[in-house]
Amino acid sequence: MIVQGVVLHSRPGADTEPVAENFLLEDINIADDLTTGQVRARTLYLSVDPYMRCRMNEDTGAEYMQPWQLGEPVDGGGVGVVQESMHCDYVPGDFVTSMTWPWQTTVVIEGELIQKLDSQLVDGHLSYFLGAVGMPGLTALLGVKEKGHVTQGANQTMVVSGAAGACGSLAGQIGHLEGCSRVVGICGTDEKCSILVKELGFDSAVNYKKETVEEDLRSCCPDGVDVYFDNVGGQISDIVISQMKPNSHVILCGQISQYNKMVPYPPPLPAATEAVLKERNITRDRFLVLNYPDKNRPGILQLSQWVKEGKLKVRETVVKGLENTGAAFLSMMKGGNIGKQIVQVSE
Ligand code: NDP
């Protein structure tokens, strides 16, 4: 059977921005007959995520991620509906997800690599399993809980960078839910700042593309910063860390500003920032959502409950069509998304 798929056509090079030509839409031949243990599913939604930039390189720089292979279909988070099953756990009509879902209109995938989804957890809004009630939601929740040292009633100020994105937009709201008294977002446009404050309940927001970012942040955090949820790294993080209090905490979630550079992860910090961390006894442990498998299920249930109760507001940017998946990835890497960037492949 011939289906459409997106393959990795070329690598951008570790030190360069990726371009549209790195991806190619192709006809892909998938098996007509399933073998035992396999499932055929129609793709509904695909996720594009910053970590995929590392998978475009020959060496991802991380042992838990494999590079995408040239000429092979790209894969990542996906949600689909089972059409045919040779696996005892799945029947046609089941909604399923995988972290290794090929960018194809229809996939044949090993049953071992997928998980069944309960659409009631998201009130039928299945793309949420790739965002607020999926990996990015868990990243925000577990990042705050495991590394944030947030305490109810402690009058803490949290700053979130990459605040209008998938993880950041949730991390700030979770900061409030967990007890921070003030949550400040940093993001790349005035429109995003306005959405953070008016829709998502952030107390204030700073546009990092303005020259006044340092003073803007200081006026939003007059008492200094207790918790910093860091999605971006680089200069923005140097500024935030310079305004952190003694014994405060950085949640080292991601460093997207450095992903088009050939640097190790986490990238080295300027000496002045290292000195601030040391002098003020600021913790900055690396956080990886994959390291908490036992907290996955309870975390998803918590996120689902908050979303249903309206306590966690969800934003998505949805583009339609498998052929636009590469473009959606490139757009997300440059800030084209508000909330989670999703690709809708079929209805
Ligand atoms: P987002 O939805 O936040 O999308 C990426 C955003 O990054 C863009 O919208 C853009 O917003 C911002 N951005 C891009 N380039 C820069 C730059 N040079 N400086 C500042 N901001 C920039 O992505 P995710 O929520 O999926 O991921 C956010 C971070 O979390 C990433 O660093 C990712 O690697 C990390 N992550 C970590 C996990 C973990 O287990 N530790 C798991 C999942 C994600 P803007 O308009 O504001 O520039």
Side-chain angles (χ1 to χ4, degrees):
M1 179 190 303
I2 301 290
V3 303
Q4 282 203 309
V6 176
V7 301
L8 184 68
H9 183 57
S10 56
R11 299 193 192 277
D15 244 345
T16 326
E17 278 185 19
V19 291
E21 293 71 32
N22 296 140
F23 300 102
L24 194 62
L25 189 69
E26 277 190 353
D27 286 343
I28 307 278
N29 203 347
I30 60 169
D32 286 318
D33 298 318
L34 301 180
T35 57
T36 305
Q38 286 184 328
V39 160
R40 191 178 68 240
R42 175 165 57 86
T43 306
L44 297 171
Y45 297 103
L46 293 172
S47 174
V48 289
D49 299 82
Y51 74 84
M52 293 173 168
R53 175 63 188 86
C54 306
R55 296 194 67 191
M56 297 183 89
N57 297 339
E58 223 168 310
D59 177 359
T60 66
E63 68 292 345
Y64 55 85
M65 278 192 264
Q66 296 309 310
W68 287 331
Q69 297 303 318
L70 284 175
E72 295 290 323
V74 163
D75 68 286
V79 166
V81 58
V82 173
Q83 293 177 317
E84 192 184 339
S85 173
M86 288 278 280
H87 190 289
C88 55
D89 290 346
Y90 304 101
V91 296
D94 280 347
F95 295 117
V96 291
T97 188
S98 173
M99 284 295 285
T100 55
W101 196 284
W103 288 10
Q104 292 173 194
T105 46
T106 302
V107 303
V108 170
I109 192 164
E110 297 299 324
E112 304 301 309
L113 295 176
I114 60 179
Q115 297 87 43
K116 206 181 287 195
L117 293 170
D118 174 2
S119 66
Q120 286 187 359
L121 286 179
V122 291
D123 286 337
H125 205 131
L126 292 166
S127 57
Y128 285 8
F129 285 121
L130 299 175
V133 189
M135 187 275 282
L138 276 176
T139 303
L141 177 67
L142 298 180
V144 171
K145 277 188 169 290
E146 298 296 320
K147 303 290 183 191
H149 300 255
V150 173
T151 312
Q152 291 281 352
N155 200 26
Q156 290 164 307
T157 294
M158 173 188 276
V159 170
V160 183
S161 59
C167 297
S169 62
L170 301 165
Q173 297 182 72
I174 291 169
H176 265 151
L177 287 165
E178 290 292 303
C180 289
S181 53
R182 188 195 303 260
V183 175
V184 178
I186 304 179
C187 58
T189 67
D190 287 344
E191 183 198 6
K192 290 183 179 185
C193 286
S194 165
I195 288 169
L196 289 182
V197 174
K198 293 189 182 138
E199 288 185 25
L200 305 183
F202 284 57
D203 297 283
S204 51
V206 171
N207 179 345
Y208 71 85
K209 291 189 178 152
K210 292 195 172 151
E211 286 190 355
T212 50
V213 50
E214 198 161 350
E215 60 225 62
D216 291 348
L217 186 66
R218 189 163 284 117
S219 65
C220 290
C221 309
D223 303 325
V225 178
D226 297 279
V227 185
Y228 172 39
F229 196 105
D230 186 6
N231 282 314
V232 306
Q235 266 183 352
I236 299 167
S237 293
D238 295 332
I239 291 172
V240 180
I241 290 170
S242 75
Q243 298 188 23
M244 293 185 75
K245 292 186 194 169
N247 306 313
S248 56
H249 306 284
V250 179
I251 303 164
L252 179 50
C253 178
Q255 306 273 283
I256 193 169
S257 73
Q258 310 296 306
Y259 290 176
N260 290 321
K261 298 181 187 163
M262 205 156 57
V263 288
Y265 188 87
L269 297 174
T273 301
E274 285 286 11
V276 171
L277 290 173
K278 199 164 171 221
E279 281 157 20
R280 298 188 201 161
N281 190 35
I282 299 169
T283 65
R284 184 173 175 270
D285 298 338
R286 193 169 167 181
F287 167 75
L288 187 60
V289 69
L290 300 174
N291 288 346
Y292 303 89
D294 296 353
K295 299 191 171 160
N296 203 306
R297 187 68 189 158
I300 291 292
L301 294 177
Q302 172 69 87
L303 291 160
S304 157
Q305 190 187 333
W306 277 338
V307 171
K308 283 176 183 233
E309 290 170 353
K311 291 182 178 165
L312 200 52
K313 305 240 168 24
V314 183
R315 283 288 303 222
E316 295 182 318
T317 299
V318 183
V319 303
K320 288 192 177 176
L322 179 80
E323 66 280 11
N324 296 316
T325 313
F329 168 73
L330 299 175
S331 166
M332 177 277 300
M333 290 298 290
K334 286 174 169 282
N337 58 313
I338 300 179
K340 174 65 193 163
Q341 179 69 59
I342 294 285
V343 179
Q344 181 175 11
V345 176
S346 66
E347 300 280 336

